Amino acid sequence: GKVRASTHIISTISDDRGEEPCYAGVPMSSIIEQGYGVGDVISLLWFKRSLPRYCTHFIEICIMLCADHGPCVSGAHNTIVTARAGKDLVSSLVSGLLTIGPRFGGAIDDAARYFKDAYDRGLTPYEFVEGMKKKGIRVPGIGHRIKRGDNRDKRVELLQRFARTHFPSVKYMEYAVQVETYTLSKANNLVLNVDGAIGSLFLDLLAGSGMFSKQEIDEIVEIGYLNGLFVLARSIGLIGHTFDQKRLKQPLYRHPWEDVLYTK
Ligand code: ACO
Ligand code: LMR
């Protein structure tokens, strides 16, 4: 009989052995000829299926509006300092990417986890927020360094407007908005931020598209796919900041003494 050698790697998303590469079984020629966009490619390689156009459009909007947020944020700052230290593109990029985490850009998965759990358990925004406070956990997806109740994040508004028009249901987003209404009643900086908007809206996308079983949604949320959107998007801006610094021939960065509180 046939003896099958055991393999060292299992892979299910792409295959380069034939005449042309395939993403989740879809040949590259179809991807190009049928005018697929980057949202479709993300659907195939991350979710292993073709998603409806409104979903891939939403993914593309997330990528476009998270691509950059100026030179002062953690990621861009690290990238700029690294590029100015004479390091190469990849080093400058990863230096910026390494700042993405629970406070900056990497709160999308936790926002999805906590909003989903609270909504599915029927917690009121008050019970949810106060419960988090008791546990000493900041609500992921809420709060911003510069955005305020009277100076909202335009990106959040744009995402919400798109979803209200195109998604069959926005129940998780509406819940996040109710949470925001409650947190804003406590402090003016506790707005729904872009991580919270994407986290809650992606729950609506997963649940409303009819393309994922309940078990698959739980797995996506548990593994944590969604920070990948910010990582991917912000790489575009971080690469831009690297080129910008090189183009401007900026010297080694040294932080000014005056801006440090030296104390014992
Ligand atoms: N939930 C509950 N209370 C909060 C939250 C929150 N998410 N954020 C701030 N507060 C309250 C707390 O009382 C906090 O006091 P503490 O330090 O004793 O906990 C107080 O507000 C401090 O507020 P700020 O000084 O304005 O907050 P800071 O500037 O330090 O933090 C940050 C901003 C990191 C975004 C914060 O709001 C936070 O941790 N949010 C959750 C994580 C998150 O969503 N990050 C993504 C931001 S968007 C992006 O990066 C693309
Ligand atoms: C970002 O997208 O980088 C921001 O929302 C963070 C910030 O402080 O502006």
Side-chain angles (χ1 to χ4, degrees), residues 182-200:
Y182 178 66
T183 53
L184 278 176
S185 74
K186 291 166 73 89
N188 199 25
N189 64 314
L190 297 184
V191 291
L192 180 66
N193 60 41
V194 73
D195 282 14
I198 294 176
S200 56

Side-chain angles (χ1 to χ4, degrees), residues 145-174:
R145 290 306 292 257
I146 55 169
K147 296 298 169 188
R148 294 285 176 269
D150 47 6
N151 169 30
R152 301 292 257 276
D153 192 329
K154 188 75 188 172
R155 299 170 297 176
V156 171
E157 274 175 44
L158 290 167
L159 287 165
Q160 291 175 330
R161 198 181 311 153
F162 180 87
R164 284 197 174 109
T165 314
H166 298 282
F167 282 26
S169 156
V170 286
K171 62 180 185 182
Y172 288 108
M173 184 202 82
E174 295 297 6

Side-chain angles (χ1 to χ4, degrees), residues 65-70 72-76 103-105 143-147 153 155 193-195 230 234:
L65 50 73
C66 289
D68 198 42
H69 209 233
C72 301
V73 304
S74 303
R103 294 182 184 169
F104 168 67
H144 200 274
R145 290 306 292 257
I146 55 169
K147 296 298 169 188
D153 192 329
R155 299 170 297 176
N193 60 41
V194 73
D195 282 14
F230 193 90
R234 194 50 61 94

Side-chain angles (χ1 to χ4, degrees), residues 66-108:
C66 289
D68 198 42
H69 209 233
C72 301
V73 304
S74 303
H77 186 82
N78 256 26
T79 288
I80 289 170
V81 170
T82 308
R84 289 181 55 168
K87 302 287 301 244
D88 59 289
L89 172 63
V90 175
S91 305
S92 304
L93 169 63
V94 299
S95 165
L97 288 178
L98 287 172
T99 64
I100 297 176
R103 294 182 184 169
F104 168 67
I108 308 180

